[in-house]
Amino acid sequence: MYKQVLDPVANSLGISSIFAALGLLVLFVLLGGLRWKAHWAALVSLAVGLIVAIVVYGMPVTQALGAAGEGAAFGFFPIMWIVINAIWIYNMTRESGHFDVLGRSFSTISNDQRIQAIIVAFCFGALLEALAGFGTPVAITSVMLIALGLRPIKAAAVALAANTAPVAFGALATPIVTLAQVSSLPLHDVGAMVGRQTPILALFVPLALVFMIDGRRGVRQTWPAAIVCGVAFAVAQFACANYFSVQLTDIIATLVATGAVIVLLRVWQPTEPLAPEGRGLGQPAVAGGAVDDSSFTERVRRGGATTDSRADVFRAYLPYLVLIAVFSLAQVGPIKNALDAPTQKFAWPGLHVVNAAGKAPSSLTFNFNWLLAAGTLALISGIITIPLLRLSLGAAIRCYGRTLDQLKWAILTVLTVLALAYVMNLSGQTITLGQWAAGAGGFFAFLSSILGWLGVAVSGSDTSSNSLFGLLQVTAAHKTGLSPTLMAAANSSGGVLGKMISPQNLAIGAAAVGMHGQEGDLFRRVLGWSLLFLLVMCVLVFLQSTVLSAMVVGA
């Protein structure tokens, strides 16, 4: 039996915190300073975390390795199990040509470049984030924006700024699923609380995108579309996260926001539509060597024009409609009970840990809900989608294999980061840091979002940030008398704002538009927006901890 000790070094919480932070510091330095590949940085950080757990905290070697094993297992199921199947669906739409149809359908909604950017970068980017995440929205939408006429650096900056409000619910809510697991909080509570924070961002992001493209004139001329899009997305995100399905939040919010803009454009149009800055649709487009293998981009480069039938457009949307239908049915009482029946819950072998109060952490129990898991529901949706996209079974299987190959390093990174998180959590390192951070008292509510922002800025992943800091936020909340649900949610909501300045996303955005080596220019373009939105989130969380406490779940 291993009992957690929170001040193993000289009986000092402050000095012990220095050692407890070593694993994180190594990760941040290797990723942010030395710019190592994420999987190598995570592996070295895991080694450091294990050494601290064994040597400094006195955790038995077998138990430390067991904690790493459970973390890695959770990293694969349910986390990467969701991501693999979500990206498989996206890859099937791309390989079958239906992604092209989606791109063309968005480009025909309006002849105004600013509104096109709202639809492509914010709405379609949110849909890609909901299904895939991990940089996919930035890579795809930045190239589409160039095809619509934006200059490369502006296209990349707009794509990065748009990839904020939807991130917490990305990849079928993978970051929130992770956060609920590592913090031992109910998934619905965490998702609902995030759904009372990120919608505030969604209100302003479309306006920010318009300002980035055309300054004050753009806001003055297209504010109705930006407001309608932001409000529709925010309301749908709040309602779905709180009352329907955390996993489907971004998908439904995207469809509602897109539909709202389309309805608006039937009765209103900008008085002075903004023409493309560069080479728009129907003209040869050269994105400075941009890397994108979608046939949508190839069509634009060739200068071709294609008209899609209503049946083609409907078929392009079918995979997402199938996802919504499958997840909706899975929430129906009898069906949900049947899917949950084969679930196995068991104590992780070889782990015998109690906290300072002598109680076993809930994370020692592994929940193998293999049939009800979001990843399995996504797999079922993908299987249903195969004939709808007119793909052969062999082509779909080959696509699945390519998806696994595409994600191999991401899988290793996530498994390793989750292993580090579990080692730190079960050895007591994270709780030590949380107890030390609680010294800020009630002001910790203002700082909590910054912690999540830093985690994502360095790791490039809200999932990774939540796995590293989720328990720390909860520990500090208990110590300071704040709501654990509020602080955990603040980590994820603040984290989404670090996405646009993370080295990984900057590299993806720069490469997509042919600006490799100019990541610094892109960073300077988006840093101010990241800090501005972070300040808004810090103030919001602080207010929710005080005068707006009625917004807190369970208050």
Side-chain angles (χ1 to χ4, degrees), residues 346-367:
F346 56 90
W348 193 260
L351 276 180
H352 307 285
V353 180
V354 294
N355 58 26
K359 297 181 179 179
S362 60
S363 57
L364 295 179
T365 301
F366 194 86
N367 183 24

Side-chain angles (χ1 to χ4, degrees), residues 44-59 64 423 429:
V44 172
S45 302
L46 172 60
V48 172
L50 285 168
I51 291 172
V52 172
I54 296 166
V55 177
V56 178
Y57 279 76
M59 192 177 196
V423 169
Q429 297 175 56

Side-chain angles (χ1 to χ4, degrees), residues 246-524:
V246 173
Q247 287 86 355
L248 289 178
T249 294
D250 273 352
I251 295 178
I252 292 177
T254 296
L255 297 178
V256 170
T258 305
V261 174
I262 292 174
V263 170
L264 172 70
L265 293 175
R266 291 183 179 272
V267 298
W268 171 90
Q269 290 286 343
T271 55
E272 301 177 22
L274 182 66
E277 296 174 319
R279 302 177 182 271
L281 288 170
Q283 305 176 45
V286 180
V291 178
D292 184 86
D293 60 351
S294 73
S295 52
F296 171 79
T297 305
E298 291 302 317
R299 180 185 67 81
V300 175
R301 285 175 176 161
R302 293 194 303 267
T306 303
T307 301
D308 301 301
S309 67
R310 291 185 177 181
D312 289 334
V313 174
F314 178 71
R315 192 174 293 111
Y317 284 93
L318 271 179
Y320 315 113
L321 297 177
V322 168
L323 266 172
I324 293 173
V326 169
F327 274 81
S328 300
L329 288 172
Q331 304 304 314
V332 177
I335 298 176
K336 185 176 182 179
N337 293 336
L339 293 174
D340 192 42
T343 296
Q344 299 291 323
K345 295 183 179 181
F346 56 90
W348 193 260
L351 276 180
H352 307 285
V353 180
V354 294
N355 58 26
K359 297 181 179 179
S362 60
S363 57
L364 295 179
T365 301
F366 194 86
N367 183 24
F368 188 52
N369 58 337
W370 63 275
L371 193 53
L372 187 59
T376 304
L377 297 179
L379 175 63
I380 294 171
S381 302
I383 293 172
I384 296 173
T385 296
I386 294 172
L388 299 179
L389 295 179
R390 297 179 178 176
L391 281 173
S392 68
L393 181 60
I397 292 173
R398 289 191 294 273
C399 181
Y400 201 96
R402 287 191 291 272
T403 300
L404 289 173
D405 182 66
Q406 170 191 347
L407 292 174
K408 58 181 180 293
W409 296 119
I411 293 172
L412 176 59
T413 299
V414 171
L415 265 61
T416 309
V417 169
L418 265 296
L420 171 63
Y422 267 66
V423 169
M424 292 184 63
N425 292 348
L426 292 178
S427 66
Q429 297 175 56
T430 303
I431 301 176
T432 297
L433 291 172
Q435 295 275 18
W436 175 76
F443 191 66
F444 181 75
F446 185 88
L447 302 175
S448 59
S449 297
I450 299 177
L451 198 60
W453 178 80
L454 286 171
V456 176
V458 172
S459 69
S461 166
D462 201 37
T463 298
S464 296
S465 178
N466 287 344
S467 68
L468 292 171
F469 296 134
L471 183 59
L472 188 155
Q473 298 272 14
V474 169
T475 301
H478 284 300
K479 187 74 173 179
T480 56
L482 296 167
S483 164
T485 303
L486 174 61
M487 294 299 96
N491 193 84
S492 192
S493 299
V496 305
L497 303 172
K499 191 88 169 178
M500 69 176 88
I501 62 167
S502 69
Q504 292 90 322
N505 256 25
L506 289 171
I508 290 171
V513 300
M515 291 177 52
H516 181 68
Q518 301 179 53
E519 289 85 357
D521 296 336
L522 197 53
F523 173 78
R524 286 187 288 273

Side-chain angles (χ1 to χ4, degrees), residues 26 32 64-65 76 114 150 180 215 219 236 255 261 368 453 466 487 501 533 539:
V26 169
L65 294 176
F76 185 81
R114 297 160 299 193
L150 283 181
V219 174
L255 297 178
V261 174
F368 188 52
W453 178 80
N466 287 344
M487 294 299 96
I501 62 167
F533 284 137
V539 172

Side-chain angles (χ1 to χ4, degrees), residues 119-203:
I119 296 295
V120 170
F122 186 71
C123 294
F124 188 50
L127 185 60
L128 291 173
E129 181 65 38
L131 292 174
F134 291 89
T136 302
V138 174
I140 300 300
T141 62
S142 57
V143 178
M144 292 177 68
L145 290 172
I146 290 178
L148 294 171
L150 283 181
R151 290 182 288 110
I153 190 168
K154 186 176 287 188
V158 168
L160 285 166
N163 192 219
T164 47
V167 168
F169 296 95
L172 301 180
T174 297
I176 293 176
V177 172
T178 304
L179 180 60
Q181 175 69 19
V182 300
S183 63
S184 300
L185 294 172
L187 173 62
H188 176 269
D189 289 355
V190 177
M193 192 65 242
V194 175
R196 301 179 188 192
Q197 295 171 340
T198 55
I200 305 298
L201 294 175
L203 294 174

